[in-house]
Short mmCIF file of all heavy atoms in Angstrom, two decimals:
data_model
loop_
_atom_site.label_atom_id
_atom_site.label_comp_id
_atom_site.label_asym_id
_atom_site.label_seq_id
_atom_site.Cartn_x
_atom_site.Cartn_y
_atom_site.Cartn_z
N ASP A 30 83.15 73.10 92.94
CA ASP A 30 83.10 73.80 91.66
C ASP A 30 81.88 74.70 91.63
O ASP A 30 80.79 74.30 92.00
CB ASP A 30 83.01 72.80 90.51
CG ASP A 30 84.33 72.11 90.26
OD1 ASP A 30 85.37 72.58 90.77
OD2 ASP A 30 84.32 71.11 89.55
N GLY A 31 82.10 75.95 91.23
CA GLY A 31 81.00 76.88 91.11
C GLY A 31 80.72 77.66 92.38
O GLY A 31 79.84 78.49 92.41
N ASP A 32 81.46 77.45 93.46
CA ASP A 32 81.22 78.19 94.69
C ASP A 32 81.82 79.57 94.56
O ASP A 32 83.01 79.72 94.41
CB ASP A 32 81.85 77.45 95.88
CG ASP A 32 81.61 78.17 97.19
OD1 ASP A 32 80.86 79.15 97.19
OD2 ASP A 32 82.17 77.74 98.20
N GLY A 33 80.96 80.59 94.60
CA GLY A 33 81.45 81.92 94.34
C GLY A 33 81.44 82.87 95.50
O GLY A 33 82.01 83.93 95.42
N GLY A 34 80.80 82.54 96.59
CA GLY A 34 80.88 83.38 97.76
C GLY A 34 79.85 84.49 97.86
O GLY A 34 79.70 85.09 98.90
N GLY A 35 79.17 84.84 96.78
CA GLY A 35 78.09 85.81 96.86
C GLY A 35 78.52 87.24 97.06
O GLY A 35 77.80 88.04 97.62
N GLU A 36 79.66 87.61 96.58
CA GLU A 36 80.14 88.98 96.78
C GLU A 36 79.72 89.88 95.64
O GLU A 36 79.35 89.44 94.57
CB GLU A 36 81.68 88.96 96.85
CG GLU A 36 82.20 88.19 98.05
CD GLU A 36 81.83 88.83 99.36
OE1 GLU A 36 81.91 90.06 99.47
OE2 GLU A 36 81.45 88.10 100.26
N SER A 37 79.82 91.19 95.84
CA SER A 37 79.55 92.17 94.80
C SER A 37 80.86 92.61 94.18
O SER A 37 81.87 92.68 94.85
CB SER A 37 78.85 93.40 95.37
OG SER A 37 77.56 93.06 95.78
N SER A 38 80.82 92.95 92.91
CA SER A 38 82.02 93.39 92.22
C SER A 38 82.06 94.91 92.15
O SER A 38 81.11 95.58 92.50
CB SER A 38 82.04 92.81 90.81
OG SER A 38 80.97 93.33 90.07
N ASP A 39 83.19 95.42 91.66
CA ASP A 39 83.36 96.88 91.55
C ASP A 39 82.36 97.49 90.59
O ASP A 39 82.03 98.66 90.71
CB ASP A 39 84.74 97.22 90.99
CG ASP A 39 85.88 96.68 91.78
OD1 ASP A 39 85.69 95.91 92.72
OD2 ASP A 39 87.00 97.04 91.43
N ASP A 40 81.94 96.72 89.58
CA ASP A 40 81.05 97.29 88.58
C ASP A 40 79.58 97.20 88.98
O ASP A 40 78.70 97.45 88.17
CB ASP A 40 81.28 96.65 87.21
CG ASP A 40 81.10 95.14 87.21
OD1 ASP A 40 80.62 94.59 88.21
OD2 ASP A 40 81.44 94.51 86.20
N GLY A 41 79.31 96.85 90.23
CA GLY A 41 77.96 96.85 90.74
C GLY A 41 77.18 95.58 90.47
O GLY A 41 76.03 95.48 90.84
N GLN A 42 77.80 94.60 89.81
CA GLN A 42 77.11 93.36 89.53
C GLN A 42 77.34 92.38 90.68
O GLN A 42 78.47 92.16 91.08
CB GLN A 42 77.62 92.74 88.23
CG GLN A 42 77.30 93.59 87.02
CD GLN A 42 77.79 92.93 85.75
OE1 GLN A 42 78.11 91.77 85.72
NE2 GLN A 42 77.84 93.72 84.69
N SER A 43 76.25 91.84 91.22
CA SER A 43 76.34 90.88 92.31
C SER A 43 76.49 89.48 91.73
O SER A 43 75.83 89.13 90.76
CB SER A 43 75.07 90.96 93.16
OG SER A 43 75.13 90.01 94.19
N HIS A 44 77.39 88.69 92.32
CA HIS A 44 77.64 87.34 91.84
C HIS A 44 77.59 86.39 93.01
O HIS A 44 77.99 86.70 94.11
CB HIS A 44 78.99 87.27 91.14
CG HIS A 44 79.07 88.19 89.97
ND1 HIS A 44 78.44 87.93 88.79
CD2 HIS A 44 79.66 89.39 89.83
CE1 HIS A 44 78.65 88.93 87.96
NE2 HIS A 44 79.38 89.82 88.56
N ASP A 45 77.10 85.19 92.73
CA ASP A 45 77.03 84.18 93.77
C ASP A 45 77.33 82.82 93.17
O ASP A 45 77.72 82.72 92.01
CB ASP A 45 75.67 84.21 94.47
CG ASP A 45 74.50 83.96 93.53
OD1 ASP A 45 74.72 83.52 92.38
OD2 ASP A 45 73.37 84.20 93.95
N ALA A 46 77.15 81.78 93.95
CA ALA A 46 77.44 80.42 93.49
C ALA A 46 76.60 80.06 92.27
O ALA A 46 77.08 79.37 91.37
CB ALA A 46 77.20 79.44 94.63
N ASP A 47 75.35 80.53 92.21
CA ASP A 47 74.50 80.23 91.06
C ASP A 47 75.06 80.85 89.77
O ASP A 47 75.05 80.22 88.72
CB ASP A 47 73.08 80.73 91.29
CG ASP A 47 72.36 79.96 92.38
OD1 ASP A 47 72.73 78.80 92.64
OD2 ASP A 47 71.42 80.52 92.97
N ASP A 48 75.55 82.10 89.86
CA ASP A 48 76.15 82.74 88.69
C ASP A 48 77.36 81.96 88.21
O ASP A 48 77.53 81.74 87.01
CB ASP A 48 76.58 84.18 89.01
CG ASP A 48 75.42 85.12 89.21
OD1 ASP A 48 74.35 84.90 88.62
OD2 ASP A 48 75.59 86.08 89.99
N ALA A 49 78.21 81.57 89.13
CA ALA A 49 79.41 80.82 88.77
C ALA A 49 79.03 79.47 88.16
O ALA A 49 79.63 79.05 87.17
CB ALA A 49 80.30 80.63 90.00
N ALA A 50 78.04 78.81 88.72
CA ALA A 50 77.62 77.51 88.21
C ALA A 50 77.06 77.64 86.79
O ALA A 50 77.36 76.81 85.92
CB ALA A 50 76.58 76.88 89.14
N ARG A 51 76.27 78.67 86.54
CA ARG A 51 75.73 78.90 85.19
C ARG A 51 76.86 79.17 84.20
O ARG A 51 76.86 78.65 83.09
CB ARG A 51 74.74 80.06 85.19
CG ARG A 51 73.35 79.69 85.67
CD ARG A 51 72.35 80.81 85.41
NE ARG A 51 72.64 82.02 86.17
CZ ARG A 51 72.27 82.23 87.43
NH1 ARG A 51 71.58 81.31 88.08
NH2 ARG A 51 72.56 83.35 88.04
N SER A 52 77.82 79.99 84.60
CA SER A 52 78.95 80.31 83.72
C SER A 52 79.79 79.07 83.43
O SER A 52 80.25 78.87 82.31
CB SER A 52 79.82 81.40 84.35
OG SER A 52 79.11 82.61 84.42
N LEU A 53 79.98 78.23 84.44
CA LEU A 53 80.74 76.99 84.26
C LEU A 53 80.00 76.07 83.29
O LEU A 53 80.60 75.54 82.34
CB LEU A 53 80.94 76.29 85.61
CG LEU A 53 81.65 74.95 85.56
CD1 LEU A 53 83.08 75.11 85.04
CD2 LEU A 53 81.67 74.32 86.95
N LYS A 54 78.72 75.90 83.48
CA LYS A 54 77.92 75.01 82.65
C LYS A 54 77.91 75.46 81.19
O LYS A 54 77.96 74.65 80.26
CB LYS A 54 76.49 74.92 83.18
CG LYS A 54 75.66 73.86 82.50
CD LYS A 54 74.33 73.68 83.18
CE LYS A 54 73.55 72.56 82.50
NZ LYS A 54 72.28 72.30 83.16
N SER A 55 77.87 76.78 80.97
CA SER A 55 77.85 77.30 79.61
C SER A 55 79.24 77.37 78.97
O SER A 55 79.37 77.72 77.81
CB SER A 55 77.21 78.69 79.59
OG SER A 55 78.03 79.62 80.26
N GLY A 56 80.27 77.03 79.74
CA GLY A 56 81.63 77.04 79.21
C GLY A 56 82.28 78.40 79.24
O GLY A 56 83.35 78.59 78.66
N ASP A 57 81.68 79.36 79.93
CA ASP A 57 82.24 80.71 80.00
C ASP A 57 83.43 80.81 80.95
O ASP A 57 84.24 81.74 80.82
CB ASP A 57 81.17 81.72 80.43
CG ASP A 57 80.10 81.91 79.35
OD1 ASP A 57 80.39 81.65 78.17
OD2 ASP A 57 78.99 82.32 79.71
N ILE A 58 83.50 79.92 81.93
CA ILE A 58 84.62 79.92 82.88
C ILE A 58 85.13 78.50 83.07
O ILE A 58 84.44 77.53 82.75
CB ILE A 58 84.23 80.52 84.25
CG1 ILE A 58 83.17 79.67 84.96
CG2 ILE A 58 83.80 81.98 84.11
CD1 ILE A 58 82.89 80.09 86.39
N LEU A 59 86.34 78.40 83.59
CA LEU A 59 86.93 77.10 83.91
C LEU A 59 86.45 76.64 85.28
O LEU A 59 86.01 77.45 86.09
CB LEU A 59 88.46 77.23 83.91
CG LEU A 59 89.10 77.65 82.58
CD1 LEU A 59 90.57 77.96 82.77
CD2 LEU A 59 88.90 76.55 81.54
N ALA A 60 86.57 75.36 85.54
CA ALA A 60 86.15 74.79 86.82
C ALA A 60 87.03 75.33 87.95
O ALA A 60 88.25 75.46 87.80
CB ALA A 60 86.24 73.27 86.78
N LEU A 61 86.39 75.64 89.05
CA LEU A 61 87.10 76.15 90.22
C LEU A 61 88.20 75.20 90.66
O LEU A 61 89.32 75.61 90.99
CB LEU A 61 86.11 76.40 91.37
CG LEU A 61 86.67 76.95 92.66
CD1 LEU A 61 87.32 78.31 92.44
CD2 LEU A 61 85.57 77.06 93.70
N ARG A 62 87.92 73.91 90.63
CA ARG A 62 88.90 72.90 91.05
C ARG A 62 90.16 72.97 90.17
O ARG A 62 91.28 72.89 90.66
CB ARG A 62 88.26 71.52 90.98
CG ARG A 62 89.07 70.42 91.59
CD ARG A 62 88.30 69.12 91.63
NE ARG A 62 86.96 69.24 92.17
CZ ARG A 62 86.65 69.22 93.47
NH1 ARG A 62 87.61 69.07 94.35
NH2 ARG A 62 85.41 69.33 93.87
N GLU A 63 89.97 73.15 88.87
CA GLU A 63 91.09 73.26 87.94
C GLU A 63 91.92 74.51 88.22
O GLU A 63 93.15 74.47 88.26
CB GLU A 63 90.54 73.30 86.51
CG GLU A 63 91.58 73.41 85.44
CD GLU A 63 90.98 73.50 84.04
OE1 GLU A 63 89.81 73.12 83.86
OE2 GLU A 63 91.69 73.97 83.14
N LEU A 64 91.24 75.62 88.45
CA LEU A 64 91.93 76.87 88.75
C LEU A 64 92.67 76.77 90.09
O LEU A 64 93.77 77.31 90.24
CB LEU A 64 90.94 78.03 88.76
CG LEU A 64 90.27 78.32 87.41
CD1 LEU A 64 89.18 79.35 87.58
CD2 LEU A 64 91.28 78.74 86.38
N ALA A 65 92.07 76.09 91.06
CA ALA A 65 92.70 75.94 92.37
C ALA A 65 94.02 75.19 92.25
O ALA A 65 95.01 75.53 92.91
CB ALA A 65 91.76 75.22 93.33
N ARG A 66 94.06 74.16 91.39
CA ARG A 66 95.32 73.41 91.19
C ARG A 66 96.40 74.33 90.61
O ARG A 66 97.56 74.28 91.03
CB ARG A 66 95.09 72.22 90.27
CG ARG A 66 94.48 71.03 90.95
CD ARG A 66 94.57 69.78 90.08
NE ARG A 66 93.77 69.91 88.87
CZ ARG A 66 92.52 69.49 88.74
NH1 ARG A 66 91.91 68.91 89.76
NH2 ARG A 66 91.89 69.63 87.60
N THR A 67 96.01 75.17 89.67
CA THR A 67 96.96 76.11 89.06
C THR A 67 97.51 77.08 90.11
O THR A 67 98.71 77.32 90.18
CB THR A 67 96.27 76.91 87.93
OG1 THR A 67 95.80 76.00 86.95
CG2 THR A 67 97.20 77.92 87.30
N VAL A 68 96.61 77.61 90.93
CA VAL A 68 97.00 78.59 91.94
C VAL A 68 97.92 77.98 92.99
O VAL A 68 98.96 78.54 93.32
CB VAL A 68 95.75 79.22 92.59
CG1 VAL A 68 96.11 80.01 93.84
CG2 VAL A 68 95.02 80.10 91.60
N THR A 69 97.55 76.80 93.51
CA THR A 69 98.36 76.20 94.58
C THR A 69 99.67 75.65 94.05
O THR A 69 100.62 75.49 94.83
CB THR A 69 97.59 75.12 95.36
OG1 THR A 69 97.10 74.13 94.44
CG2 THR A 69 96.44 75.74 96.14
N ALA A 70 99.78 75.37 92.77
CA ALA A 70 101.07 74.96 92.20
C ALA A 70 102.05 76.12 92.24
O ALA A 70 103.25 75.94 92.47
CB ALA A 70 100.88 74.47 90.76
N ARG A 71 101.53 77.32 92.05
CA ARG A 71 102.39 78.52 92.06
C ARG A 71 102.54 79.12 93.46
O ARG A 71 103.59 79.67 93.79
CB ARG A 71 101.82 79.55 91.10
CG ARG A 71 102.69 80.75 90.95
CD ARG A 71 102.37 81.49 89.69
NE ARG A 71 103.07 82.75 89.62
CZ ARG A 71 102.82 83.70 88.75
NH1 ARG A 71 101.88 83.53 87.85
NH2 ARG A 71 103.49 84.81 88.76
N TYR A 72 101.47 79.05 94.24
CA TYR A 72 101.45 79.62 95.59
C TYR A 72 101.02 78.52 96.57
O TYR A 72 99.84 78.40 96.87
CB TYR A 72 100.48 80.81 95.68
CG TYR A 72 100.83 81.94 94.74
CD1 TYR A 72 100.13 82.12 93.55
CD2 TYR A 72 101.86 82.82 95.04
CE1 TYR A 72 100.44 83.15 92.69
CE2 TYR A 72 102.18 83.86 94.18
CZ TYR A 72 101.47 84.02 93.00
OH TYR A 72 101.78 85.04 92.14
N PRO A 73 101.97 77.73 97.05
CA PRO A 73 101.62 76.62 97.96
C PRO A 73 100.93 77.11 99.23
O PRO A 73 101.21 78.19 99.74
CB PRO A 73 102.97 76.00 98.29
CG PRO A 73 103.89 76.43 97.21
CD PRO A 73 103.40 77.79 96.78
N GLY A 74 100.00 76.30 99.71
CA GLY A 74 99.27 76.60 100.93
C GLY A 74 97.88 76.03 100.85
O GLY A 74 97.53 75.32 99.92
N GLU A 75 97.06 76.39 101.84
CA GLU A 75 95.69 75.91 101.92
C GLU A 75 94.74 77.00 101.47
O GLU A 75 94.78 78.13 101.98
CB GLU A 75 95.37 75.52 103.37
CG GLU A 75 93.94 75.06 103.56
CD GLU A 75 93.61 74.81 105.02
OE1 GLU A 75 94.52 74.84 105.87
OE2 GLU A 75 92.41 74.62 105.30
N ILE A 76 93.87 76.68 100.51
CA ILE A 76 92.86 77.64 100.07
C ILE A 76 91.80 77.71 101.17
O ILE A 76 91.18 76.72 101.51
CB ILE A 76 92.23 77.23 98.74
CG1 ILE A 76 93.28 77.28 97.63
CG2 ILE A 76 91.05 78.15 98.40
CD1 ILE A 76 92.82 76.75 96.30
N ILE A 77 91.65 78.91 101.74
CA ILE A 77 90.69 79.08 102.85
C ILE A 77 89.44 79.84 102.42
O ILE A 77 88.51 79.98 103.21
CB ILE A 77 91.36 79.74 104.07
CG1 ILE A 77 91.94 81.10 103.70
CG2 ILE A 77 92.42 78.82 104.66
CD1 ILE A 77 92.44 81.90 104.90
N GLY A 78 89.43 80.32 101.19
CA GLY A 78 88.24 81.02 100.71
C GLY A 78 88.38 81.40 99.25
O GLY A 78 89.49 81.48 98.72
N THR A 79 87.23 81.61 98.61
CA THR A 79 87.20 82.08 97.22
C THR A 79 86.05 83.07 97.07
O THR A 79 85.09 83.04 97.84
CB THR A 79 86.98 80.94 96.21
OG1 THR A 79 85.72 80.33 96.48
CG2 THR A 79 88.09 79.91 96.26
N GLU A 80 86.19 83.93 96.08
CA GLU A 80 85.11 84.85 95.70
C GLU A 80 85.05 84.87 94.18
O GLU A 80 86.08 84.79 93.52
CB GLU A 80 85.38 86.27 96.21
CG GLU A 80 85.29 86.41 97.70
CD GLU A 80 85.53 87.84 98.16
OE1 GLU A 80 85.22 88.78 97.40
OE2 GLU A 80 86.03 88.02 99.27
N PHE A 81 83.85 85.00 93.64
CA PHE A 81 83.66 85.12 92.20
C PHE A 81 83.13 86.53 91.92
O PHE A 81 82.15 86.94 92.51
CB PHE A 81 82.66 84.07 91.71
CG PHE A 81 82.38 84.14 90.24
CD1 PHE A 81 83.34 83.78 89.31
CD2 PHE A 81 81.15 84.55 89.78
CE1 PHE A 81 83.09 83.85 87.95
CE2 PHE A 81 80.87 84.61 88.42
CZ PHE A 81 81.86 84.25 87.50
N LYS A 82 83.81 87.23 91.02
CA LYS A 82 83.43 88.60 90.68
C LYS A 82 83.58 88.81 89.18
O LYS A 82 84.22 88.01 88.50
CB LYS A 82 84.33 89.61 91.39
CG LYS A 82 84.27 89.56 92.89
CD LYS A 82 85.17 90.61 93.50
CE LYS A 82 85.05 90.61 95.01
NZ LYS A 82 85.82 91.68 95.62
N THR A 83 83.03 89.90 88.71
CA THR A 83 83.27 90.33 87.34
C THR A 83 83.78 91.76 87.40
O THR A 83 83.16 92.62 88.02
CB THR A 83 81.98 90.29 86.49
OG1 THR A 83 81.48 88.96 86.50
CG2 THR A 83 82.24 90.71 85.07
N LYS A 84 84.93 91.98 86.78
CA LYS A 84 85.51 93.32 86.72
C LYS A 84 85.75 93.66 85.26
O LYS A 84 86.48 92.94 84.57
CB LYS A 84 86.81 93.39 87.51
CG LYS A 84 86.60 93.20 88.99
CD LYS A 84 87.87 93.38 89.77
CE LYS A 84 87.59 93.20 91.25
NZ LYS A 84 88.76 93.39 92.07
N LYS A 85 85.11 94.71 84.79
CA LYS A 85 85.21 95.14 83.38
C LYS A 85 84.88 93.98 82.45
O LYS A 85 85.60 93.72 81.49
CB LYS A 85 86.60 95.72 83.10
CG LYS A 85 86.90 96.96 83.92
CD LYS A 85 88.26 97.52 83.59
CE LYS A 85 88.52 98.71 84.50
NZ LYS A 85 89.85 99.27 84.31
N ASN A 86 83.80 93.28 82.76
CA ASN A 86 83.30 92.15 81.97
C ASN A 86 84.24 90.94 81.94
O ASN A 86 84.11 90.09 81.07
CB ASN A 86 82.94 92.58 80.55
CG ASN A 86 81.76 93.50 80.53
OD1 ASN A 86 80.81 93.33 81.29
ND2 ASN A 86 81.80 94.50 79.66
N VAL A 87 85.20 90.87 82.85
CA VAL A 87 86.11 89.73 82.95
C VAL A 87 85.73 88.95 84.21
O VAL A 87 85.74 89.50 85.31
CB VAL A 87 87.59 90.18 83.03
CG1 VAL A 87 88.51 89.00 83.22
CG2 VAL A 87 87.96 90.98 81.80
N PRO A 88 85.42 87.65 84.07
CA PRO A 88 85.11 86.85 85.26
C PRO A 88 86.39 86.56 86.04
O PRO A 88 87.38 86.11 85.47
CB PRO A 88 84.50 85.57 84.68
CG PRO A 88 85.09 85.46 83.31
CD PRO A 88 85.32 86.87 82.84
N ILE A 89 86.35 86.84 87.33
CA ILE A 89 87.53 86.71 88.19
C ILE A 89 87.19 85.84 89.39
O ILE A 89 86.16 86.02 90.03
CB ILE A 89 87.98 88.10 88.73
CG1 ILE A 89 88.22 89.10 87.59
CG2 ILE A 89 89.18 87.97 89.66
CD1 ILE A 89 89.45 88.86 86.80
N TYR A 90 88.10 84.91 89.70
CA TYR A 90 88.05 84.21 90.98
C TYR A 90 89.16 84.79 91.84
O TYR A 90 90.29 84.96 91.37
CB TYR A 90 88.28 82.71 90.84
CG TYR A 90 87.02 81.91 90.70
CD1 TYR A 90 86.74 81.21 89.54
CD2 TYR A 90 86.10 81.84 91.74
CE1 TYR A 90 85.59 80.46 89.41
CE2 TYR A 90 84.95 81.09 91.62
CZ TYR A 90 84.70 80.41 90.46
OH TYR A 90 83.55 79.67 90.34
N GLU A 91 88.83 85.11 93.08
CA GLU A 91 89.84 85.52 94.05
C GLU A 91 90.01 84.35 95.01
O GLU A 91 89.06 83.87 95.60
CB GLU A 91 89.41 86.78 94.78
CG GLU A 91 89.31 87.98 93.87
CD GLU A 91 88.84 89.23 94.57
OE1 GLU A 91 88.49 89.18 95.77
OE2 GLU A 91 88.81 90.28 93.92
#
Side-chain angles (χ1 to χ4, degrees):
D30 286 346
D32 181 6
E36 296 295 318
S37 292
S38 65
D39 302 7
D40 58 9
Q42 295 181 14
S43 178
H44 300 285
D45 60 13
D47 292 336
D48 290 331
R51 279 190 295 277
S52 294
L53 177 63
K54 188 172 183 177
S55 68
D57 292 336
I58 64 172
L59 299 171
L61 181 61
R62 190 173 311 276
E63 180 182 341
L64 296 172
R66 280 193 295 266
T67 300
V68 168
T69 55
R71 185 160 172 192
Y72 300 102
E75 178 185 352
I76 295 173
I77 58 172
T79 61
E80 292 181 29
F81 179 70
K82 298 181 176 185
T83 301
K84 294 185 179 181
K85 297 181 183 177
N86 293 322
V87 177
I89 305 287
Y90 267 115
E91 295 179 355

